[in-house]
Amino acid sequence: FLGRIKVGNMRIRKYIIIETCFLCLESCSNRNNKPPYQLDMVNTSMISIPYEETGGVKIIPVKLNGVTMDMIYDTGASGLHLSLNEVQTLAKNGKLTDEDVLGVSYSCIADGSIVQNGTINIKEICIGSGENEIVLHNKTATVALNQIAPILLGNEVLDELASVEVDNVSKTINFYKK
């Protein structure tokens, strides 16, 4: 995208900074207007999701548009983040359409650099199973433009929930009613 634009480096940097600020302001303003996911629809006071710990991170099974993927539970991530590998899996299984591709976004990563990402709509996210299932609809996910980026379940999803607790003894992540 940016490679096709013949402009000086300074102009590109200004564009990226302005676009990033706009996206941050837009996501912050939208987040305040969302009500938390209503756990009242479930017949239990707590939904408990087991996790596995690998390399110091907590991994939980999540279904994205019906396809099960192991995602890193990451409270430090701003949203739902996938690599091209997962997007290709969704597309091969007929779970992602052209209408789900939303465009391009920019993110500031841990080292302070700004990277370009794709953005897609995930129609359905299921965390857990059976009576212990949380289902969310139409969440935006960023897509790293490489095959090996970690897949993260971050605050785009977690902010929809009322209360979250990690039980390191039982190795569960517990979502409570308000």
Side-chain angles (χ1 to χ4, degrees):
F1 170 74
L2 290 175
R4 289 186 253 151
I5 300 174
K6 302 213 179 215
V7 191
N9 283 341
M10 186 60 125
R11 193 170 194 180
I12 291 172
R13 284 188 203 131
K14 286 181 183 176
Y15 172 76
I16 290 172
I17 291 169
I18 291 169
E19 182 70 20
T20 303
C21 290
F22 174 75
L23 289 172
C24 288
L25 290 172
E26 182 177 302
S27 67
C28 290
S29 65
N30 288 343
R31 213 175 263 158
N32 293 335
N33 296 331
K34 294 180 193 174
Y37 183 80
Q38 297 300 312
L39 294 180
D40 296 338
M41 295 182 292
V42 181
N43 294 332
T44 181
S45 62
M46 176 186 67
I47 293 176
S48 184
I49 310 296
Y51 70 83
E52 291 185 24
E53 196 160 354
T54 304
V57 296
K58 293 166 178 53
I59 299 173
I60 60 174
V62 177
K63 287 183 187 174
L64 302 179
N65 293 343
V67 177
T68 301
M69 299 181 185
D70 289 332
M71 300 190 76
I72 297 171
Y73 172 80
D74 188 352
T75 58
S78 60
L80 189 62
H81 189 69
L82 308 173
S83 74
L84 280 177
N85 189 39
E86 287 75 33
V87 172
Q88 289 170 338
T89 299
L90 290 170
K92 284 179 187 175
N93 286 297
K95 304 297 183 175
L96 194 66
T97 65
D98 288 342
E99 292 80 36
D100 294 320
V101 178
L102 303 176
V104 175
S105 67
Y106 298 92
S107 301
C108 182
I109 59 176
D111 69 3
S113 60
I114 297 175
V115 296
Q116 182 179 14
N117 298 305
T119 55
I120 61 172
N121 179 55
I122 301 294
K123 290 179 184 143
E124 184 177 81
I125 300 170
C126 297
I127 304 169
S129 62
E131 286 189 23
N132 284 337
E133 184 175 60
I134 296 169
V135 181
L136 301 170
H137 297 280
N138 296 314
K139 293 289 157 199
T140 299
T142 57
V143 180
L145 302 179
N146 66 59
Q147 296 287 334
I148 59 170
I151 58 174
L152 307 174
L153 181 69
N155 289 317
E156 174 72 15
V157 172
L158 302 177
D159 286 349
E160 293 288 320
L161 305 166
S163 177
V164 180
E165 170 192 69
V166 176
D167 183 338
N168 290 311
V169 175
S170 299
K171 296 210 177 280
T172 59
I173 299 172
N174 305 314
F175 303 98
Y176 291 93
K177 292 181 183 181
K178 271 192 162 182

